Amino acid sequence: MKKIALISTLLMGLAVASCDSYLDINQDPNSPSEGSMSPSIILPAAEMNLAGSYGNFLRITGGYYAQHYGQLFGTSNYLDYSQFKMSATRSSGTYTQLNQRTLKNLKFVSEMAKEKADWGSYLAAATLRAFTYQALVDCYGEVPYSEAFVDGVTTPKYDDGKDIYAGILAELDEALSKVDGSETVATNFLFPGEDASAWIQFANALKLKIMMREIDAVPEVQAALDVLVAEGNFPEDDIAYAGCWKNESGQMSPFFAEEFSTAWGSNQINVVANVAIINTMYQMDGNGNVTYEDPRLAAYFDKNGSGEYTGTISGSNFSTSDAYKAAYWCRPKASYDMPVYLLTVAETDFFLSEYYARKGDAATAEQYYKDAIDASCATAGVTASAAIATQFPYSQANYKQSIGVQKWIALAGINNFEAWCEMRRLDYPTFGSVSGDQLYDNSNDKSYKPEMLPPATLYTPIQVEDKVGSNKLLERWPYAESSSSRNSNTPEFKGYTTPIFWGN
């Protein structure tokens, strides 16, 4: 990724420098003196490194793997993602950032907060640590956990994802047991000025997500899940890094800085809308008449230069035709101050819908399904959610399809990484009978036939990674080279199509 390392460094400096000048102006903000270290110094730095990775690299890769995004014809920066590829090298910078600049800093916060019985900050660190580890497991399947950051251990073992999930749930429960909600929390960007009650709700929503994601693989979490849902203490607002970005170099929201800002001296366009999501949110009949337009579409994607919604085909960048240059395709909506969403109300409601569907309570499941659509529209700043529920009605008999498709749509402009995760778990949307090379022939610019692809349907990319093959998703990433090259305990890669422990 062309700017990720530089952005991560600047974001860390921003995090520390923005906290009311906690550091002297002549001191290196990335190396504060031991005497100046405190949770209020370190926690914001950890947060911004999490936001820098989760809101940029994971958003972009998730968008390609979920077929929300495609590569602009004529450019190649992310063509490999478009073809369902990931190398051990490509993710190394993000892996290092999440470990050395997020998890390591959160370890410092936890230790300092525990020493001072600062249980509000302790919970905040535990929640962000659990969030980060879940994201790493969901990418790689196995990562160092139990021996990570242990003094004297230079080659930590890779723990199984199932064990890491159990570990972070235990960490959350232990931290939650120490707070009642009235505690103060160190300076942070996520809930500035709020007490621990906001972090309790975040931790609860994260526990719901963790347990629902693993429920088929670890059915014994059902009892704890029942207790959590019965308590019902979940966030009423989206959890996001919002209001902390500026229209200045190094201080913009990460995805915008990577793909839209010219502050870094680059005007290259890479990410454009994919035909799979466009054909789902913008449906036409055989005569070209629009039969359905999702009210969130305009909030997620800009129209192309001709005022139309168009989506490109995964796996190709070979067109040399002027017809398919940048102005032809829709681009994702982005702004310098766009939020980095960690967990939305809509996601929580979709999980609750699935929870009740599994219980056989169709009426409650359908209500939460509609609530999730309402919440998704609220996040997008639009109305007319009833039209979506009519176009995509809930089916108890096919609840995974109903929830999976609608969650995929809801996350298309909000959190693409989580969409890719849920697609691997729920198996929806699924592949149809149309392939990418039927939608577009690289040797014939006039062969573009997006109308062939039915709504809510995936397709095999053109020149798909041969180790993935036809009608399959990329299920996991190779272990990051930044770890495997130094760690003799790195296990043998299980293969691109081997699901992680909660997958199908």
Side-chain angles (χ1 to χ4, degrees):
M1 184 165 288
K2 59 183 184 294
K3 299 183 285 284
I4 187 68
L6 184 56
I7 287 177
S8 66
T9 301
L10 289 171
L11 283 173
M12 187 171 182
L14 166 64
V16 178
S18 297
C19 297
D20 299 326
S21 301
Y22 281 92
L23 296 179
D24 184 270
I25 193 170
N26 295 316
Q27 183 176 349
D28 179 1
N30 292 325
S31 302
S33 66
E34 183 175 349
S36 70
M37 290 177 68
S38 71
S40 287
I41 290 291
I42 305 300
L43 183 57
E47 287 184 286
M48 284 294 99
N49 280 288
L50 171 59
S53 290
Y54 192 76
N56 184 17
F57 188 81
L58 296 189
R59 179 183 181 123
I60 290 173
T61 54
Y64 280 97
Y65 300 145
Q67 292 195 331
H68 292 152
Y69 298 157
Q71 182 65 29
L72 176 69
F73 285 178
T75 63
S76 61
N77 208 40
Y78 306 129
L79 180 60
D80 50 347
Y81 308 152
S82 180
Q83 296 169 341
F84 290 178
K85 297 179 182 179
M86 174 57 73
S87 71
T89 302
R90 286 284 256 174
S91 70
S92 286
T94 293
Y95 179 90
T96 298
Q97 184 172 7
L98 289 175
N99 275 275
Q100 297 301 319
R101 294 177 177 176
T102 301
L103 290 172
K104 194 169 185 178
N105 280 342
L106 291 173
K107 181 176 184 286
F108 292 151
V109 173
S110 293
E111 291 172 346
M112 287 185 285
K114 186 174 185 178
E115 182 180 346
K116 298 177 181 179
D118 178 5
W119 301 124
S121 301
Y122 187 77
L123 173 61
T127 305
L128 293 174
R129 174 180 161 90
F131 186 93
T132 304
Y133 266 116
Q134 184 185 22
L136 287 168
V137 169
D138 294 349
C139 289
Y140 298 99
E142 304 80 31
V143 293
Y145 171 71
S146 60
E147 294 181 354
F149 313 113
V150 174
D151 290 342
V153 178
T154 57
T155 57
K157 70 174 183 178
Y158 278 62
D159 294 277
D160 186 80
K162 181 178 178 180
D163 295 331
I164 297 173
Y165 264 47
I168 58 179
L169 281 173
E171 289 186 37
L172 287 171
D173 285 339
E174 189 263 345
L176 284 165
S177 72
K178 297 180 180 298
V179 296
D180 62 20
S182 63
E183 294 82 359
T184 59
V185 180
T187 301
N188 66 90
F189 287 118
L190 202 57
F191 303 112
E194 302 229 10
D195 58 27
S197 60
W199 287 95
I200 290 174
Q201 291 183 330
F202 180 18
N204 285 340
L206 183 56
K207 285 180 61 180
L208 175 68
K209 173 180 151 186
I210 292 169
M211 288 190 284
M212 287 301 297
R213 191 158 285 173
E214 69 174 354
I215 186 65
D216 286 332
V218 191
E220 54 266 32
V221 302
Q222 186 67 57
L225 189 57
D226 291 341
V227 172
L228 181 67
V229 173
E231 290 174 351
N233 187 21
F234 301 119
E236 296 181 0
D237 299 302
D238 296 335
I239 298 167
Y241 288 110
C244 55
W245 311 110
K246 297 180 180 179
N247 194 17
E248 298 177 17
S249 178
Q251 300 187 36
M252 301 171 185
S253 188
F255 178 59
F256 179 85
E258 178 73 28
E259 277 301 303
F260 293 84
S261 173
T262 59
W264 306 90
S266 173
N267 295 310
Q268 180 170 311
I269 295 174
N270 296 291
V271 181
V272 293
N274 197 298
V275 66
I277 191 65
I278 293 297
N279 277 19
T280 304
M281 301 184 78
Y282 191 73
Q283 299 177 25
M284 294 184 287
D285 62 21
N287 297 318
N289 300 311
V290 177
T291 58
Y292 172 72
E293 181 174 344
D294 193 301
R296 296 165 293 186
L297 180 59
Y300 291 173
F301 297 99
D302 285 318
K303 292 182 178 180
N304 69 6
S306 301
E308 301 172 336
Y309 286 112
T310 52
T312 192
I313 313 300
S314 292
S316 174
N317 75 329
F318 292 103
S319 175
T320 58
S321 168
D322 289 338
Y324 297 138
K325 294 303 183 183
Y328 186 81
W329 307 109
C330 297
R331 288 272 275 158
K333 285 274 192 182
S335 62
Y336 76 86
D337 58 350
M338 63 189 296
V340 174
Y341 292 97
L342 299 188
L343 193 54
T344 62
V345 173
E347 289 176 84
T348 298
D349 284 342
F350 277 126
F351 282 124
L352 290 170
S353 176
E354 182 185 347
Y355 170 86
Y356 284 103
R358 288 171 174 269
K359 292 280 190 179
D361 187 345
T364 306
E366 182 174 11
Q367 185 57 59
Y368 272 111
Y369 175 80
K370 292 179 178 178
D371 289 346
I373 294 173
D374 288 342
S376 172
C377 286
T379 298
V382 300
T383 56
S385 61
I388 300 171
T390 299
Q391 184 72 17
F392 296 94
Y394 176 77
S395 168
Q396 175 65 17
N398 300 295
Y399 71 86
K400 285 190 176 182
Q401 181 177 9
S402 294
I403 294 169
V405 167
Q406 197 52 231
K407 186 180 288 190
W408 173 70
I409 298 169
L411 291 168
I414 303 298
N415 193 328
N416 312 83
F417 174 75
E418 295 299 329
W420 174 54
C421 293
E422 288 296 276
M423 291 164 66
R424 290 179 284 157
R425 183 179 73 90
L426 295 172
D427 290 332
Y428 288 99
T430 190
F431 290 87
S433 59
V434 178
S435 63
D437 54 11
Q438 291 175 285
L439 296 170
Y440 178 73
D441 180 351
N442 285 323
S443 65
N444 180 4
D445 279 348
K446 296 181 181 180
S447 67
Y448 176 59
K449 299 176 181 178
E451 68 278 1
M452 291 181 63
L453 188 69
T457 304
L458 306 177
Y459 59 94
T460 300
I462 300 171
Q463 296 188 340
V464 67
E465 164 60 50
D466 58 6
K467 294 178 182 178
V468 174
S470 300
N471 295 338
K472 294 180 182 179
L473 290 172
L474 178 71
E475 295 283 350
R476 62 166 64 218
W477 295 356
Y479 304 115
E481 185 180 46
S482 55
S483 174
S484 62
S485 64
R486 299 176 177 86
N487 189 344
S488 59
N489 284 322
T490 304
E492 183 178 352
F493 179 47
K494 296 180 179 180
Y496 297 101
T497 58
T498 300
I500 66 174
F501 84 97
W502 49 251
N504 295 309

